[in-house]
Amino acid sequence: MQTRAGGRFSRKRRIVNQDDFSSVFRAGCRHRTAHFALYAGKGKTTCARLGVVVARRLAKQAVVRNSIRRVCRELFRGMVLPVPIDCVVRLSRSLEGGNGRTSGTMFRRQVREELGGLFSRLARKERRQ
């Protein structure tokens, strides 16, 4: 699953319908961090696909939700997975700190670290199988 840097995240690489999301949630294995949950299951297509779920109640501002999606897609694009796999990343706990700030460099760094850890765990697990 190698892609060129800066390429678009095409529709065939995204999980878009509810049935596909449900099948990954039901049958997929789960990895967690403080704020995110990653579900991964056997892929239905020839390439790895990604779905991102960011609930409005956990990230109130659209800018924050879109930033999380953007970082998630960027990290997923850079991964090399040996098999077709469907992955869903879900925000499970609000990222807002005590001061309510969820924007800026520190926020993006935190999201990148947590999601990077999740994806690296998934890649290690898939290489072992």
Side-chain angles (χ1 to χ4, degrees), residues 31 38 75 79-81 112-128:
H31 303 281
L38 171 69
L75 292 171
M79 282 180 45
V80 177
L81 292 170
R112 189 177 306 277
E113 286 174 7
E114 283 194 44
L115 290 175
L118 279 176
F119 285 137
S120 64
R121 265 192 267 168
L122 176 66
R124 279 195 307 268
K125 182 180 180 206
E126 289 302 319
R127 272 188 242 124
R128 278 188 261 139

Side-chain angles (χ1 to χ4, degrees), residues 5 11 16 28 31 42-43 53 69 71 80 82 123:
R11 189 166 176 89
V16 290
H31 303 281
K42 182 155 175 49
V53 179
R69 289 184 190 109
V71 169
V80 177

Side-chain angles (χ1 to χ4, degrees), residues 6-17:
R8 284 187 44 129
F9 201 70
S10 66
R11 189 166 176 89
K12 73 176 188 169
R13 305 249 345 259
R14 287 184 268 161
I15 298 175
V16 290
N17 65 24

Side-chain angles (χ1 to χ4, degrees), residues 31-48:
H31 303 281
R32 290 187 180 275
T33 63
H35 298 100
F36 294 97
L38 171 69
Y39 301 85
K42 182 155 175 49
K44 295 180 179 179
T45 62
T46 58
C47 63

Side-chain angles (χ1 to χ4, degrees), residues 1-70:
M1 180 191 102
Q2 293 183 352
T3 61
R4 62 187 177 144
R8 284 187 44 129
F9 201 70
S10 66
R11 189 166 176 89
K12 73 176 188 169
R13 305 249 345 259
R14 287 184 268 161
I15 298 175
V16 290
N17 65 24
Q18 186 174 356
D19 291 339
D20 291 345
F21 273 101
S22 297
S23 67
V24 175
F25 282 133
R26 217 177 358 221
C29 65
R30 184 179 311 143
H31 303 281
R32 290 187 180 275
T33 63
H35 298 100
F36 294 97
L38 171 69
Y39 301 85
K42 182 155 175 49
K44 295 180 179 179
T45 62
T46 58
C47 63
R49 297 187 308 162
L50 175 69
V52 183
V53 179
V54 183
R56 189 177 297 146
R57 69 182 175 86
L58 296 175
K60 304 234 184 284
Q61 297 176 331
V63 172
V64 173
R65 294 192 302 272
N66 291 335
S67 180
I68 291 169
R69 289 184 190 109
R70 197 173 301 118

